[in-house]
Amino acid sequence: MQSRRKLRFRLVLSFALFGFGLSVLFAVASLYVRAKVEDQLVVSSLQQDADSYAQQMHESPGQPFYSKLMTGWGWSDRTIYKAPLAWQNLPSGVHDIYETDADGHLRHYKLAVSRRFGLIAFVRYDVSRDDLGKRQLFTALIAVVLLFSLLSLAIGLWLSRKVLKPVTQLAQRIRDFRKAGKAEPLAQHFADDEVGELAHALDEYSARLTAMVERDREFNSDVSHELRTPLAVISSTTELLQGSPDLTPKLAERLKRIERASRQATELIEALLLLSRAERRGPTRGETTEVAKVAADVIESQRPQVRGKPLEIELNAREPLSVNAPASVLAVALTNLIGNAIKYTLEGTVRVEVGAGRVEVIDTGPGIKPEDAEKLFQRGVRGEGAGGSGAGLGLAIVRRLCELYGWQVSMRPRADANGAVASIVFG
């Protein structure tokens, strides 16, 4: 997962790096300009002093050259041999030379040479004397860089709070809507800027979303009402027909199938409505749903799916188990699990075990691959094997119902034989 920083952190970091970079650039520029200007001034001054010294020796021979910073020597063309050997062939101008002093330290000098009036004037300036000043300037610039970096960081912190305050307020108002359960206009609380434009866009999105949810709620209510009415008619009519004295056993069995199908449709409608509203509803106050009883009813309703296959359906209730959920929700979940087991098992046994806070449906069908177990709960995914058909929505509905009530549903291959195990663990 890619790491993402908060917007405030990125803003502060960008501002601090900008201040640091600008300070470093200023420091480097200051050092460069100082070195460049100083070199030009020293070279110009040295050359002028060398020319002045040559003229002084021409006009006033024997008068010494005086300066606190520079040292001068002068010879005629005939006595140039008295000058240091390294100086004798230097042309007029300023030259960089390196010599060792009495203490054995290598020192850097700038030597100005002036050849005029048959005389040669040398003026030497000790550049090493400026090293201390350069070090002091470098230290001062480092302190300035640190100071400006800290100042940039402080300004970035203050600016981030000020700039992001409207965004924080917008997020807080949206969180307040979640608590209140009702959305209110946002744009009226913000200025006509980028945040205000974002609030206006959120208002438009909220209005469209609210209208869509309202249409969906009305559709669900209408469908529920329109479907419940014919199902109630079917159920009452079936009940009346079952009380007829001239009813044959074959016709009575068919009426029972119609009654069970009507009840399953009613339960399915109720469960789907709960899912569409994301509403968790318990049974009537003071009542609980017995898992074994619902499982027995589901098994009876699913027996017609056997269709002559050499298949037995067993119910093993090891201990009493009750859940705080409507019987219709549990019936829909078990109907899909037991129905899938019957559909994919050609022969053998489908065993439903109830106890230890769970219900398990164990079959002897073709089984499933461990890596495909979780995929079967996705919409549109169907199992492979005998009897594989349908839209692949049953297990997806079971997963959503279990998430709504805090249950854990899973499938796994059997470890002892061919087949699969579907289980619901009640939280």
Side-chain angles (χ1 to χ4, degrees), residues 76-277:
S76 65
D77 288 339
R78 293 185 298 275
T79 59
I80 184 63
Y81 64 88
K82 297 181 179 180
L85 183 63
W87 297 8
Q88 295 178 10
N89 296 322
L90 293 176
S92 296
V94 180
H95 308 275
D96 288 293
I97 61 175
Y98 296 89
E99 297 179 354
T100 304
D101 60 10
D103 298 329
H105 298 136
L106 185 66
R107 303 185 70 87
H108 179 203
Y109 298 96
K110 283 189 177 293
L111 180 68
V113 181
S114 178
R115 297 176 181 269
R116 301 176 64 187
F117 311 111
L119 301 172
I120 303 176
F122 297 96
V123 177
R124 188 180 68 178
Y125 174 70
D126 190 356
V127 180
S128 301
R129 296 178 179 179
D130 293 339
D131 290 344
L132 178 60
K134 291 179 179 179
R135 288 195 297 268
Q136 291 176 344
L137 177 62
F138 185 75
T139 303
L141 287 176
I142 291 179
V144 169
V145 169
L146 294 177
L147 178 63
F148 272 88
S149 298
L150 293 176
L151 183 62
S152 300
L153 181 62
I155 294 176
L157 289 171
W158 173 80
L159 189 63
S160 66
R161 284 195 297 267
K162 190 173 183 63
V163 170
L164 296 179
K165 184 178 180 180
V167 179
T168 305
Q169 292 176 346
L170 178 61
Q172 184 60 44
R173 288 188 175 275
I174 294 176
R175 282 192 291 267
D176 292 341
F177 293 164
R178 186 186 305 171
K179 297 177 183 178
K182 181 181 179 182
E184 297 179 357
L186 295 169
Q188 61 185 5
H189 300 287
F190 298 93
D192 188 14
D193 53 9
E194 288 78 4
V195 179
E197 185 177 353
L198 176 61
H200 183 70
L202 287 175
D203 286 341
E204 293 180 348
Y205 177 75
S206 176
R208 293 196 302 270
L209 188 61
T210 301
M212 183 178 64
V213 171
E214 189 64 29
R215 289 195 301 270
D216 186 58
R217 183 182 294 117
E218 292 176 356
F219 172 78
N220 291 334
S221 299
D222 294 342
V223 169
S224 174
H225 177 269
E226 295 301 326
L227 288 178
R228 286 177 187 271
T229 300
L231 288 174
V233 172
I234 294 173
S235 178
S236 59
T237 303
T238 304
E239 185 178 356
L240 290 175
L241 289 175
Q242 286 178 341
S244 178
D246 54 349
L247 194 63
T248 63
K250 190 173 182 178
L251 186 58
E253 179 61 27
R254 291 178 178 176
L255 288 175
K256 285 183 180 180
R257 291 182 59 184
I258 295 173
E259 181 185 12
R260 285 195 296 265
S262 175
R263 185 173 66 251
Q264 288 177 3
T266 304
E267 293 170 348
L268 182 59
I269 291 172
E270 182 178 353
L272 293 178
L273 285 175
L274 291 176
L275 286 179
S276 66
R277 299 169 183 170

